């Protein structure tokens, strides 16, 4: 029986569960994502703050030593040069806590994902 499995009802609740210094980083990251993807819906998916536009756009999560950012493998691939200084995997990147997050880069990644999701949705809708 898993007793300490927390489920979050909202992004606010997720952020509030983090340490104060991490909450500040996450609130800024949230603001950056909202500004880059104003039409995206904010929700919890996979127990992480998620932005949804036609389908999942980006997620983030706080860990002990880093902020995980999940812009889909395409978002990592498109910016792999600029992300190369960070640890990461196919669809994720780890921004160390204690280092400023590259918000300008994150903005461009989110905008890239918005364009990609909108294009895919348009192709699905019309095939024109």
């Amino acid at each position: 029986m898993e007793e300490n499995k927390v489920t979050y009802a909202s992004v606010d609740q997720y952020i509030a569960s983090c340490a104060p210094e991490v909450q500040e980083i996450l609130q800024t990251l949230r603001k950056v994502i909202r500004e880059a993807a104003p039409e995206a819906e904010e929700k919890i998916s996979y127990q992480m703050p998620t932005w949804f536009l036609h389908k999942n756009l980006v997620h983030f999560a706080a860990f002990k030593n880093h902020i995980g950012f999940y812009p889909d493998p395409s978002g990592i691939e498109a910016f792999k040069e600029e992300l190369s200084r960070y640890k990461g995997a196919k669809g994720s990147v780890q921004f160390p806590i204690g280092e400023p997050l590259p918000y300008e880069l994150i903005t461009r990644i989110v905008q890239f994902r918005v364009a990609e999701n909108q294009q895919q949705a348009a192709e699905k809708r019309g095939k024109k």
Side-chain angles (χ1 to χ4, degrees), residues 26-43:
L26 296 182
Q27 287 291 11
T28 305
L29 180 54
R30 179 189 205 180
K31 183 174 179 276
V32 164
I33 294 168
R34 278 180 170 164
E35 287 171 1
E39 295 161 31
E41 176 197 340
E42 191 178 89
K43 65 181 191 174

PDB file of all heavy atoms in Angstrom, residues 26-43:
ATOM      1  N   LEU A  26       9.381  27.902  -9.821  1.00  0.00           N
ATOM      2  CA  LEU A  26       8.250  27.305 -10.554  1.00  0.00           C
ATOM      3  C   LEU A  26       7.219  28.350 -10.952  1.00  0.00           C
ATOM      4  O   LEU A  26       6.646  28.274 -12.040  1.00  0.00           O
ATOM      5  CB  LEU A  26       7.597  26.194  -9.726  1.00  0.00           C
ATOM      6  CG  LEU A  26       8.474  24.981  -9.422  1.00  0.00           C
ATOM      7  CD1 LEU A  26       7.687  23.942  -8.628  1.00  0.00           C
ATOM      8  CD2 LEU A  26       9.068  24.367 -10.672  1.00  0.00           C
ATOM      9  N   GLN A  27       6.981  29.346 -10.097  1.00  0.00           N
ATOM     10  CA  GLN A  27       6.029  30.406 -10.444  1.00  0.00           C
ATOM     11  C   GLN A  27       6.545  31.207 -11.642  1.00  0.00           C
ATOM     12  O   GLN A  27       5.776  31.563 -12.534  1.00  0.00           O
ATOM     13  CB  GLN A  27       5.764  31.351  -9.254  1.00  0.00           C
ATOM     14  CG  GLN A  27       4.922  30.722  -8.168  1.00  0.00           C
ATOM     15  CD  GLN A  27       3.458  30.463  -8.549  1.00  0.00           C
ATOM     16  OE1 GLN A  27       3.043  30.563  -9.701  1.00  0.00           O
ATOM     17  NE2 GLN A  27       2.660  30.097  -7.564  1.00  0.00           N
ATOM     18  N   THR A  28       7.849  31.473 -11.660  1.00  0.00           N
ATOM     19  CA  THR A  28       8.431  32.191 -12.803  1.00  0.00           C
ATOM     20  C   THR A  28       8.340  31.334 -14.062  1.00  0.00           C
ATOM     21  O   THR A  28       7.949  31.826 -15.126  1.00  0.00           O
ATOM     22  CB  THR A  28       9.898  32.593 -12.508  1.00  0.00           C
ATOM     23  OG1 THR A  28       9.926  33.334 -11.298  1.00  0.00           O
ATOM     24  CG2 THR A  28      10.492  33.422 -13.637  1.00  0.00           C
ATOM     25  N   LEU A  29       8.671  30.057 -13.937  1.00  0.00           N
ATOM     26  CA  LEU A  29       8.600  29.140 -15.074  1.00  0.00           C
ATOM     27  C   LEU A  29       7.159  29.065 -15.599  1.00  0.00           C
ATOM     28  O   LEU A  29       6.927  29.127 -16.816  1.00  0.00           O
ATOM     29  CB  LEU A  29       9.101  27.753 -14.656  1.00  0.00           C
ATOM     30  CG  LEU A  29       9.112  26.656 -15.719  1.00  0.00           C
ATOM     31  CD1 LEU A  29       9.874  27.089 -16.972  1.00  0.00           C
ATOM     32  CD2 LEU A  29       9.705  25.381 -15.145  1.00  0.00           C
ATOM     33  N   ARG A  30       6.208  28.990 -14.702  1.00  0.00           N
ATOM     34  CA  ARG A  30       4.794  28.951 -15.069  1.00  0.00           C
ATOM     35  C   ARG A  30       4.407  30.206 -15.853  1.00  0.00           C
ATOM     36  O   ARG A  30       3.723  30.135 -16.870  1.00  0.00           O
ATOM     37  CB  ARG A  30       3.977  28.842 -13.786  1.00  0.00           C
ATOM     38  CG  ARG A  30       2.486  28.811 -13.979  1.00  0.00           C
ATOM     39  CD  ARG A  30       1.824  28.933 -12.616  1.00  0.00           C
ATOM     40  NE  ARG A  30       0.502  28.367 -12.596  1.00  0.00           N
ATOM     41  CZ  ARG A  30      -0.262  28.359 -11.511  1.00  0.00           C
ATOM     42  NH1 ARG A  30       0.192  28.820 -10.371  1.00  0.00           N
ATOM     43  NH2 ARG A  30      -1.476  27.860 -11.567  1.00  0.00           N
ATOM     44  N   LYS A  31       4.852  31.360 -15.371  1.00  0.00           N
ATOM     45  CA  LYS A  31       4.557  32.641 -16.028  1.00  0.00           C
ATOM     46  C   LYS A  31       5.165  32.670 -17.440  1.00  0.00           C
ATOM     47  O   LYS A  31       4.520  33.081 -18.401  1.00  0.00           O
ATOM     48  CB  LYS A  31       5.132  33.774 -15.165  1.00  0.00           C
ATOM     49  CG  LYS A  31       4.845  35.167 -15.662  1.00  0.00           C
ATOM     50  CD  LYS A  31       5.344  36.188 -14.614  1.00  0.00           C
ATOM     51  CE  LYS A  31       5.105  37.598 -15.071  1.00  0.00           C
ATOM     52  NZ  LYS A  31       6.173  38.097 -15.951  1.00  0.00           N
ATOM     53  N   VAL A  32       6.397  32.196 -17.570  1.00  0.00           N
ATOM     54  CA  VAL A  32       7.088  32.148 -18.867  1.00  0.00           C
ATOM     55  C   VAL A  32       6.305  31.254 -19.841  1.00  0.00           C
ATOM     56  O   VAL A  32       6.084  31.629 -20.995  1.00  0.00           O
ATOM     57  CB  VAL A  32       8.549  31.650 -18.680  1.00  0.00           C
ATOM     58  CG1 VAL A  32       9.183  31.224 -19.992  1.00  0.00           C
ATOM     59  CG2 VAL A  32       9.387  32.728 -17.998  1.00  0.00           C
ATOM     60  N   ILE A  33       5.856  30.098 -19.368  1.00  0.00           N
ATOM     61  CA  ILE A  33       5.096  29.175 -20.225  1.00  0.00           C
ATOM     62  C   ILE A  33       3.762  29.803 -20.621  1.00  0.00           C
ATOM     63  O   ILE A  33       3.374  29.770 -21.792  1.00  0.00           O
ATOM     64  CB  ILE A  33       4.875  27.814 -19.529  1.00  0.00           C
ATOM     65  CG1 ILE A  33       6.223  27.097 -19.326  1.00  0.00           C
ATOM     66  CG2 ILE A  33       3.914  26.933 -20.341  1.00  0.00           C
ATOM     67  CD1 ILE A  33       6.164  25.888 -18.404  1.00  0.00           C
ATOM     68  N   ARG A  34       3.073  30.409 -19.651  1.00  0.00           N
ATOM     69  CA  ARG A  34       1.774  31.052 -19.945  1.00  0.00           C
ATOM     70  C   ARG A  34       1.923  32.149 -20.989  1.00  0.00           C
ATOM     71  O   ARG A  34       1.083  32.300 -21.861  1.00  0.00           O
ATOM     72  CB  ARG A  34       1.199  31.675 -18.674  1.00  0.00           C
ATOM     73  CG  ARG A  34       0.485  30.707 -17.791  1.00  0.00           C
ATOM     74  CD  ARG A  34      -0.031  31.481 -16.584  1.00  0.00           C
ATOM     75  NE  ARG A  34      -0.926  30.685 -15.784  1.00  0.00           N
ATOM     76  CZ  ARG A  34      -1.254  31.011 -14.534  1.00  0.00           C
ATOM     77  NH1 ARG A  34      -0.760  32.088 -13.976  1.00  0.00           N
ATOM     78  NH2 ARG A  34      -2.075  30.253 -13.855  1.00  0.00           N
ATOM     79  N   GLU A  35       2.996  32.937 -20.869  1.00  0.00           N
ATOM     80  CA  GLU A  35       3.213  34.030 -21.829  1.00  0.00           C
ATOM     81  C   GLU A  35       3.555  33.490 -23.213  1.00  0.00           C
ATOM     82  O   GLU A  35       3.160  34.069 -24.219  1.00  0.00           O
ATOM     83  CB  GLU A  35       4.310  34.974 -21.323  1.00  0.00           C
ATOM     84  CG  GLU A  35       3.822  35.841 -20.162  1.00  0.00           C
ATOM     85  CD  GLU A  35       4.924  36.633 -19.476  1.00  0.00           C
ATOM     86  OE1 GLU A  35       6.098  36.554 -19.898  1.00  0.00           O
ATOM     87  OE2 GLU A  35       4.601  37.330 -18.497  1.00  0.00           O
ATOM     88  N   ALA A  36       4.286  32.385 -23.262  1.00  0.00           N
ATOM     89  CA  ALA A  36       4.680  31.806 -24.552  1.00  0.00           C
ATOM     90  C   ALA A  36       3.544  31.003 -25.184  1.00  0.00           C
ATOM     91  O   ALA A  36       3.527  30.818 -26.395  1.00  0.00           O
ATOM     92  CB  ALA A  36       5.907  30.918 -24.370  1.00  0.00           C
ATOM     93  N   ALA A  37       2.610  30.536 -24.359  1.00  0.00           N
ATOM     94  CA  ALA A  37       1.497  29.712 -24.861  1.00  0.00           C
ATOM     95  C   ALA A  37       0.195  30.160 -24.203  1.00  0.00           C
ATOM     96  O   ALA A  37      -0.420  29.414 -23.444  1.00  0.00           O
ATOM     97  CB  ALA A  37       1.773  28.244 -24.564  1.00  0.00           C
ATOM     98  N   PRO A  38      -0.247  31.394 -24.499  1.00  0.00           N
ATOM     99  CA  PRO A  38      -1.429  31.926 -23.808  1.00  0.00           C
ATOM    100  C   PRO A  38      -2.713  31.130 -24.038  1.00  0.00           C
ATOM    101  O   PRO A  38      -3.610  31.160 -23.205  1.00  0.00           O
ATOM    102  CB  PRO A  38      -1.558  33.356 -24.345  1.00  0.00           C
ATOM    103  CG  PRO A  38      -0.735  33.391 -25.582  1.00  0.00           C
ATOM    104  CD  PRO A  38       0.312  32.337 -25.452  1.00  0.00           C
ATOM    105  N   GLU A  39      -2.797  30.384 -25.140  1.00  0.00           N
ATOM    106  CA  GLU A  39      -4.012  29.614 -25.433  1.00  0.00           C
ATOM    107  C   GLU A  39      -4.000  28.233 -24.795  1.00  0.00           C
ATOM    108  O   GLU A  39      -5.008  27.528 -24.807  1.00  0.00           O
ATOM    109  CB  GLU A  39      -4.183  29.460 -26.948  1.00  0.00           C
ATOM    110  CG  GLU A  39      -4.432  30.774 -27.656  1.00  0.00           C
ATOM    111  CD  GLU A  39      -4.135  30.691 -29.147  1.00  0.00           C
ATOM    112  OE1 GLU A  39      -4.297  29.607 -29.746  1.00  0.00           O
ATOM    113  OE2 GLU A  39      -3.734  31.726 -29.712  1.00  0.00           O
ATOM    114  N   ALA A  40      -2.856  27.831 -24.256  1.00  0.00           N
ATOM    115  CA  ALA A  40      -2.743  26.487 -23.684  1.00  0.00           C
ATOM    116  C   ALA A  40      -3.507  26.391 -22.365  1.00  0.00           C
ATOM    117  O   ALA A  40      -3.565  27.336 -21.592  1.00  0.00           O
ATOM    118  CB  ALA A  40      -1.281  26.129 -23.477  1.00  0.00           C
ATOM    119  N   GLU A  41      -4.067  25.233 -22.140  1.00  0.00           N
ATOM    120  CA  GLU A  41      -4.801  24.951 -20.905  1.00  0.00           C
ATOM    121  C   GLU A  41      -3.822  24.370 -19.884  1.00  0.00           C
ATOM    122  O   GLU A  41      -3.011  23.505 -20.206  1.00  0.00           O
ATOM    123  CB  GLU A  41      -5.895  23.932 -21.234  1.00  0.00           C
ATOM    124  CG  GLU A  41      -6.691  23.437 -20.060  1.00  0.00           C
ATOM    125  CD  GLU A  41      -7.464  22.155 -20.382  1.00  0.00           C
ATOM    126  OE1 GLU A  41      -7.687  21.867 -21.586  1.00  0.00           O
ATOM    127  OE2 GLU A  41      -7.822  21.451 -19.427  1.00  0.00           O
ATOM    128  N   GLU A  42      -3.923  24.871 -18.664  1.00  0.00           N
ATOM    129  CA  GLU A  42      -3.043  24.399 -17.588  1.00  0.00           C
ATOM    130  C   GLU A  42      -3.768  23.293 -16.829  1.00  0.00           C
ATOM    131  O   GLU A  42      -4.941  23.427 -16.500  1.00  0.00           O
ATOM    132  CB  GLU A  42      -2.798  25.600 -16.669  1.00  0.00           C
ATOM    133  CG  GLU A  42      -1.739  25.395 -15.655  1.00  0.00           C
ATOM    134  CD  GLU A  42      -1.534  26.653 -14.810  1.00  0.00           C
ATOM    135  OE1 GLU A  42      -2.217  26.798 -13.782  1.00  0.00           O
ATOM    136  OE2 GLU A  42      -0.688  27.476 -15.189  1.00  0.00           O
ATOM    137  N   LYS A  43      -3.068  22.189 -16.585  1.00  0.00           N
ATOM    138  CA  LYS A  43      -3.681  21.084 -15.844  1.00  0.00           C
ATOM    139  C   LYS A  43      -2.591  20.222 -15.218  1.00  0.00           C
ATOM    140  O   LYS A  43      -1.408  20.480 -15.421  1.00  0.00           O
ATOM    141  CB  LYS A  43      -4.564  20.251 -16.762  1.00  0.00           C
ATOM    142  CG  LYS A  43      -3.805  19.519 -17.884  1.00  0.00           C
ATOM    143  CD  LYS A  43      -4.774  18.748 -18.765  1.00  0.00           C
ATOM    144  CE  LYS A  43      -4.047  17.814 -19.699  1.00  0.00           C
ATOM    145  NZ  LYS A  43      -4.974  16.962 -20.449  1.00  0.00           N
TER     146      LYS A  43
END
